[in-house]
Amino acid sequence: MGPFSSTVVVADAQEMEDISLRGRSKYLESSKIMRDAFMGIIPYGQISLATDDMWRRHRRITTPVMSSKYLKGVTPRISSNAQELIKYWSAKMAIVKENGGKCFSCTGDFESAALGTITEVITGAPVDAIAHAMSCLQTSPEKPTIDEFGGASFPHVPLLSVHASLQYLFTRVGDFLLMPPLICRAYQKVVPLIPSFRRAYREVIGCECERRKAYRKARELGEEWESQCMIDIVMQKEDVSADEALSGEELRDEVITFLFAVRVWKRAMTHEETVLTGRRLSSIFSGSGYNGYGASMEVRSLHSPLPPVPPDVRANALFSGVVSMKFLSDNPEAQYKLRAELLSALDDSPDKRPLTFADVNTPEKTPYLEAVVNEVLRLGRVAEGFRRITTEPIEILGHHIPRGTDVTFISGICGENTTKGANDRLRALDSVRSESSLKFGLGKPLWEDDAKEFKPERWLMEVDGKIRFNPKAGFCVPFGLGLRACAGKQLAVLGLKIYIAMLNLAFFFEKTPPELASYKAFVRVTRVPAQAFVAPRPWSTIELTTMGNE
């Protein structure tokens, strides 16, 4: 971007797959724009590293954290956090009803719940942000503010120290991303000297230091140490082989890299703020987006005509949590189908217990759950895309792309262009496609022309008289492609499955007023929802209402 760099935007799904997965992929590197943005905070985190030997060593050492064996061990914590969220939402909705409201803003609630999970997975020391929020709710004398549409906004919950420190550090990344390169590099040299930055950094890495001390002490005493988090796994690998070790700085930066999975959101916008912000942005930036689900007015860098594409840490699972509630609220039939499947397929009253790893990882038993989660990831445009930079000249759709060019893959728009109605546009480019692209094609069927609708059934097929989930139903790339694809995909999907399933078993989500139900999202460092209102009701009240109408 700017006078000393150039960018090519790819919005063709077939070309994106071919470039990312086949021969030309060896001439692509992670975007320097994104690496530079994180370099000032975590220079040794994977997000900041080029795809060199150090990056490969880091990825190899941290990969076991995403193994089925390890994820099975952390599932109880995710389910426990989901249970805490259910209790919290029940308490919030009771207060809303008492004050004449219809729904409440859940902005930050998924973040708080996820914070407990990710801190335990990475550091072994969970931060119970939902319990903290519940305590504040129960002790606060302030009532929620109810707007004219019945939307309730609760008083701000003071962040726990680790949470506030993560917010501070992640905000600095946003600052770096929006700065011209020369100013960014100068600012990055100054920021580490700022006392507030140093305090925030020490707060976040404190857990790593304590965990390392505890591990070393146990080893000196000859005690057994069971791996319970990423830090444990890394230190045990270090004991086995020096080649598999991370230095103190490297480990600390990887800890922060993974903790950045917890996006820090501000409060949801009111109806008036959403309208005014949209108008204001329209007058400043050239808008992009599409009508219907996922319609967006995207905040853009003043130094770039393109939206800041989300980083490759992982898809924004927290955004997907909010948007999944929106989709379910607007599609009550999907809620009924999902609950019926879960109650029928899972043993021991799943609506009265935490879900297990096996409960949400058996597609043969719960195909509709798989379909709902994948439809949320597909239609929610959780990640707008990903960036790469060319290390050698390549050709894209007949155009010569020189070395050092940023290539931005807009996977959200690529998805829109993979319908049967768009097939003529795809085939019109066949004359300039590469040999491998023509040989392998898109690799997946085209969606029907109702692809802008929320329809989990599109992921299902019948096999021998039984309904099965079809992971290859059509194009969907929420986690990037290639060697630098999202490292945390498995954890993100596991968390989303558990939260959707447990919230569905606990609540029926009523439609929120249209003035509070916007699907607009703003792209800053990640996608941020403009509004996040929910209206959860216990299923018992829905069943009683249904019985009364019969």
Side-chain angles (χ1 to χ4, degrees):
M1 308 294 181
F4 304 110
S5 61
S6 58
T7 296
V8 170
V9 178
V10 177
D12 179 87
Q14 186 169 326
E15 189 71 0
M16 181 177 77
E17 282 196 347
D18 192 67
I19 294 173
S20 301
L21 301 178
R22 301 184 184 103
R24 286 174 286 178
S25 64
K26 61 186 176 183
Y27 303 124
L28 295 179
E29 174 59 272
S30 61
S31 171
K32 195 171 185 303
I33 293 173
M34 299 309 304
R35 283 188 278 126
D36 285 351
F38 285 87
M39 183 66 71
I41 308 291
I42 44 174
Y44 298 107
Q46 290 178 49
I47 188 69
S48 304
L49 298 175
T51 313
D52 53 15
D53 290 342
M54 178 181 285
W55 180 87
R56 291 184 176 85
R57 178 166 54 85
H58 282 221
R59 177 62 70 95
R60 185 173 64 249
I61 291 172
T62 58
T63 290
V65 178
M66 298 301 154
S67 67
S68 295
K69 178 182 177 181
Y70 186 75
L71 292 177
K72 188 180 296 184
V74 302
T75 297
R77 179 66 195 183
I78 302 175
S79 293
S80 176
N81 287 333
Q83 284 185 312
E84 291 300 313
L85 183 61
I86 289 168
K87 294 175 185 177
Y88 184 47
W89 279 11
S90 296
K92 288 176 79 171
M93 197 62 196
I95 295 173
V96 169
K97 291 292 186 182
E98 288 174 5
N99 289 273
K102 298 178 181 178
C103 56
F104 63 84
S105 170
C106 69
T107 299
D109 291 351
F110 279 102
E111 175 191 320
S112 295
L115 185 64
T117 298
I118 198 69
T119 49
E120 180 162 7
V121 169
I122 303 304
T123 71
V127 175
D128 293 322
I130 284 290
H132 168 68
M134 176 68 95
S135 176
C136 293
L137 182 70
Q138 294 171 336
T139 58
S140 174
E142 296 183 62
K143 294 182 179 181
T145 301
I146 311 293
D147 65 25
E148 61 181 300
F149 306 107
S153 296
F154 283 82
H156 173 70
V157 177
L159 298 181
L160 296 169
S161 57
V162 171
H163 200 168
S165 296
L166 279 171
Q167 179 188 46
Y168 178 91
L169 295 179
F170 198 63
T171 301
R172 299 289 77 75
V173 173
D175 294 342
F176 298 151
L177 186 61
L178 297 179
M179 290 179 178
L182 292 177
I183 296 177
C184 176
R185 284 193 285 272
Y187 186 43
Q188 286 179 338
K189 294 181 181 298
V190 174
V191 165
L193 304 177
I194 300 173
S196 57
F197 175 90
R198 297 170 69 178
R199 284 194 299 271
Y201 187 83
R202 284 197 300 269
E203 177 70 39
V204 174
I205 67 170
C207 54
E208 182 272 334
C209 298
E210 293 300 319
R211 193 75 180 181
R212 185 184 283 271
K213 287 179 183 177
Y215 175 81
R216 290 302 176 205
K217 184 175 181 180
R219 299 296 290 172
E220 289 171 3
L221 296 174
E223 298 175 352
E224 291 292 327
W225 186 275
E226 182 182 357
S227 291
Q228 298 178 339
C229 63
M230 186 188 80
I231 295 174
D232 294 346
I233 291 174
V234 171
M235 290 190 295
Q236 288 185 336
K237 281 180 171 286
E238 182 179 316
D239 286 345
V240 173
S241 170
D243 293 335
E244 296 296 292
L246 295 181
S247 69
E249 286 182 323
E250 289 175 313
L251 179 54
R252 285 193 289 273
D253 282 2
E254 287 296 358
V255 167
I256 297 175
T257 297
F258 279 87
L259 291 181
F260 272 165
V262 181
R263 312 301 190 203
V264 182
W265 297 339
K266 305 300 183 184
R267 62 178 176 81
M269 293 183 182
T270 64
H271 171 65
E272 291 80 4
E273 288 174 325
T274 303
V275 172
L276 289 173
T277 301
R279 289 173 181 168
R280 195 174 298 126
L281 290 170
S282 296
S283 67
I284 300 173
F285 305 109
S286 57
S288 77
Y290 60 98
N291 295 324
Y293 295 125
S296 62
M297 168 62 69
E298 299 170 354
V299 173
R300 301 179 174 196
S301 166
L302 290 172
H303 309 288
S304 166
L306 295 171
V309 176
D312 297 335
V313 182
R314 57 184 52 79
N316 189 349
L318 300 177
F319 176 79
S320 63
V322 171
V323 80
S324 65
M325 297 300 102
K326 288 178 176 287
F327 287 140
L328 290 176
S329 297
D330 287 341
N331 295 273
E333 188 61 31
Q335 298 187 61
Y336 285 109
K337 285 184 179 181
L338 179 57
R339 186 169 189 263
E341 175 184 86
L342 294 171
L343 290 174
S344 173
L346 305 182
D347 300 325
D348 303 323
S349 302
D351 56 331
K352 296 180 174 62
R353 64 171 175 83
L355 296 184
T356 66
F357 185 79
D359 286 335
V360 297
N361 277 279
T362 312
E364 304 80 36
K365 293 174 65 175
T366 56
Y368 198 71
L369 173 61
E370 298 285 339
V372 168
V373 169
N374 278 270
E375 187 70 345
V376 166
L377 293 172
R378 181 192 73 84
L379 194 56
R381 292 175 68 167
V382 176
E384 281 295 333
F386 53 97
R387 278 192 175 122
R388 299 291 183 261
I389 189 170
T390 56
T391 57
E392 296 292 339
I394 63 172
E395 189 170 290
I396 298 179
L397 296 176
H399 295 276
H400 175 79
I401 309 300
R403 176 182 178 179
T405 301
D406 259 289
V407 182
T408 300
F409 298 97
I410 308 295
S411 52
I413 298 177
C414 286
E416 293 178 38
N417 294 330
T418 55
T419 63
K420 291 181 178 179
N423 189 49
D424 288 345
R425 293 200 300 272
L426 287 171
R427 301 287 65 83
L429 295 171
D430 283 351
S431 61
V432 290
R433 294 189 188 279
S434 68
E435 183 179 337
S436 60
S437 178
L438 291 172
K439 177 182 178 181
F440 292 100
L442 182 58
K444 293 180 180 178
L446 296 174
W447 296 115
E448 296 294 334
D449 292 335
D450 61 357
K452 289 184 180 180
E453 298 177 15
F454 182 77
K455 187 178 177 182
E457 289 76 11
R458 72 178 78 251
W459 293 91
L460 302 176
M461 62 181 180
E462 188 173 328
V463 179
D464 298 329
K466 295 182 179 180
I467 299 299
R468 299 295 188 194
F469 169 66
N470 178 16
K472 298 181 179 180
F475 180 85
C476 181
V477 184
F479 297 99
L481 289 170
L483 189 62
R484 298 293 295 240
C486 172
K489 172 184 175 180
Q490 291 84 352
L491 178 60
V493 172
L494 175 64
L496 190 57
K497 285 181 182 178
I498 290 175
Y499 277 99
I500 287 178
M502 292 187 66
L503 288 168
N504 171 258
L505 287 167
F507 300 121
F508 175 82
F509 290 89
E510 294 185 312
K511 288 189 176 183
T512 55
E515 296 83 2
L516 304 176
S518 171
Y519 279 85
K520 288 183 179 179
F522 299 93
V523 179
R524 296 189 177 107
V525 181
T526 57
R527 280 173 68 82
V528 181
Q531 294 178 323
F533 287 88
V534 291
R537 283 181 59 185
W539 280 101
S540 58
T541 64
I542 301 299
E543 290 161 358
L544 287 173
T545 301
T546 302
M547 291 174 61
N549 291 333
E550 291 178 351

